[in-house]
Amino acid sequence: MNATQMISKGLLGEPALLLGLIAFVGLLLQKQPFQRLIHGTIKTMLGYTLLQIGANAAGSSLSNLSAVIQKGFQIIGIIPHNETITALAQINYGEEIALIMLVGMIVHLMIARFTRIKYIFLTGHHMLFMASLLAGVLVSMSMPLWQVMVAGGIVLAFSMSFAPLITQPYVRRVTGNDDFAMGHFNSVGYVLSGFVASWFKKGPEPPESKGLQKLRSFFQDHMVVITVFTFVLFLFSGLFISPGGIEEMFSGRHILVVSLIQATWFAGGCYVILAGVRMLLSEIVPAFKGIADRIVPGAIPALDCPVLFKFSPFAAMIGFLLSFTGGLAAMVVLLQVQYTVIIPGVIPHFFSGGAAGVIAYKIGGRKGLIVSSLIHGFAITLLPTVLIPLLSNLGYLRATFADSDFSVIGVLVHELFSWFK
Amino acid sequence: MKKIIVACNSGLGTSLMIRLNVEALLKEWGLKAWVEHTDVSSVDTFDADLIIGSNYVMESLQLAKDVEVIGLDDITDRQYLKSRLLDSETFKQWLAV
């Protein structure tokens, strides 16, 4: 092995090392002390490894769930869950994803520096999710690595600049200023929500009820919510199979035991993935922000969607519940027309539906909130169906991306690059 | 060393943003502390001196231990964060030393 091979196969070919290297250079540029340098680099690599470990656990539970659903209902149930699909994509496309992120961050900073679109997208995990989507779609079109990296990076950079740009008119109506923007890849959903809500007039604001407050408090702990939700899904789907069928599938165990164990495996896997993503990004995002602060003075930070929740916790909760209801309606429609069904996920509806609810409520009052949230939930549940065939080369998996921009950009990129060929 | 935990729903975006602000303020004051961000489920596992997060999320915390919690109404405003930190018992003791 010569030096070039050592670099391309040994150093850059392994995503954990590649990401570690990116973190290392970032920390070096910030002139961090030696201890911090080692610490940050190792934690980035560890984070990546956690991602892979979690993906195995969550993936195994997910494939069991889909086997149960398929047997019980004669359909394929697909769960939109960003963390899981990203972790699964990392297994095969880690190198591409890391390089797309690197190019994407550089081009995004250039857009903010040289154009009037001064948003800096700081939601690191969504950056990672979008890079994973782009890697999945572009690699399936059999492009060489450098093209995947350049094309993916440019599309990622533009998405990061345009998502805050198109939602800002609505976000401004909620917050009253331009202090921050939304850096969350459900911008299509937010625009839809704001647009629908603008048909309605805003009334007086009702106070939040005690019951709603309690419910809200329950939904804050996602690990508990994911476990309960997956348990119910397993149990419900299992009831449609004869008891013998379940015992046959899971070496003689009772359906209750199977559901409980599988639910905790899925949530446990998600927890490990989240811990990995957190470790990975806690080095990269501050570095990115540090560079952005220096080269783009006066930039507007684009932040994660819960920043909107405090403007109306009431609307966030109602937005989530109705968005989820809209999602269930979309699932019923899908059941009628096709074999593949999107099972609405609690987490995407909680975040995207909640923020969309706040926008709808601030613009269209109570009526706006109700109508808009139902439509929003329906739309974001249907959208991923167009994405499924494009992600088929990620292998056998029953997960997909959850938020609207991933579907829209996935399809656009696929169309655009098939046209070039 | 003092341990500060910043928490949000999934421990990814919001908590990291607040953490960056906390770290900037610590630097301004010349204080050294161990700051970590995480999700609500894991808060109790950290044995922290201070827990910070949006009010929206902090209301749901059920902590086993007696530890100071700062629930923020505004999670983006650094000046507001600064005044809340300066008001907290933990920081008062800390700055007095």
Side-chain angles (χ1 to χ4, degrees), chain A residues 168-180:
Chain A
Q168 194 57 13
Y170 296 110
V171 173
R172 200 180 294 129
R173 285 185 67 180
V174 174
T175 63
N177 55 44
D178 277 322
D179 284 352
F180 65 84

Side-chain angles (χ1 to χ4, degrees), chain A residues 54 111 113 124-125 167 197 216 242-243 248 267 269 320 329 335 361 368 375 399:
Chain A
I111 294 174
R113 178 76 181 81
H125 52 294
T167 47
R216 206 182 74 198
S242 67
E248 207 175 288
F320 155 57
L335 270 172
Y361 182 62
I375 294 179

Side-chain angles (χ1 to χ4, degrees), chain A residues 92-93 135-137 139-141 388-397:
Chain A
N92 291 321
Y93 305 118
V137 172
V139 172
S140 75
M141 309 185 77
I388 296 163
L390 305 183
L391 296 175
S392 56
N393 68 313
L394 291 186
Y396 175 75
L397 49 95

Side-chain angles (χ1 to χ4, degrees), chain B residues 56-95:
Chain B
Y56 188 76
V57 175
M58 292 300 113
E59 279 168 8
S60 68
L61 276 187
Q62 285 156 350
L63 296 169
K65 266 198 325 139
D66 210 14
V67 53
E68 189 173 8
V69 176
I70 300 184
L72 305 170
D73 284 322
D74 189 335
I75 53 183
T76 52
D77 186 352
R78 190 183 286 179
Q79 290 313 311
Y80 167 74
L81 175 69
K82 189 175 181 174
S83 70
R84 288 299 306 274
L85 287 180
L86 288 174
D87 279 346
S88 77
E89 287 305 316
T90 314
F91 262 82
K92 275 182 189 159
Q93 283 174 16
W94 203 352
L95 288 166

Side-chain angles (χ1 to χ4, degrees), chain A residues 96 138-139 141-152 421:
Chain A
E96 286 85 351
L138 291 173
V139 172
M141 309 185 77
S142 51
M143 282 183 174
L145 178 64
W146 72 270
Q147 282 184 16
V148 170
M149 169 177 141
V150 173
K421 270 185 166 179

Side-chain angles (χ1 to χ4, degrees), chain A residues 36 43 83 122-123 125 129 180 213 216-224 271 274 277-278 281-283 285-286 289 301 303-304 306-307 309-310 313 316-317 350-351, chain B residues 8-17 19-21 23 34 36-43 45-46 54-62 72-76 78:
Chain A
R36 188 82 188 75
K43 277 186 90 171
E83 283 82 6
L122 292 173
T123 312
H125 52 294
F129 300 159
F180 65 84
Q213 246 169 36
R216 206 182 74 198
S217 155
F218 175 78
F219 277 100
Q220 301 302 325
D221 196 325
H222 286 168
M223 287 308 131
V224 176
Y271 183 85
L274 279 177
V277 173
R278 192 178 304 138
L281 295 173
S282 62
E283 301 302 331
V285 175
K289 186 176 185 297
L303 309 175
D304 199 4
V307 292
F309 290 177
K310 68 129 182 167
M317 196 63 208
F350 179 80
F351 282 117
Chain B
C8 70
N9 293 135
S10 57
L12 294 175
T14 308
S15 49
L16 177 55
M17 289 322 304
R19 177 186 157 182
L20 289 177
N21 283 334
E23 282 177 338
W34 191 76
E36 193 87 62
H37 67 291
T38 189
D39 66 306
V40 208
S41 305
S42 322
V43 165
T45 62
F46 278 97
S54 84
N55 221 352
Y56 188 76
V57 175
M58 292 300 113
E59 279 168 8
S60 68
L61 276 187
Q62 285 156 350
L72 305 170
D73 284 322
D74 189 335
I75 53 183
T76 52
R78 190 183 286 179

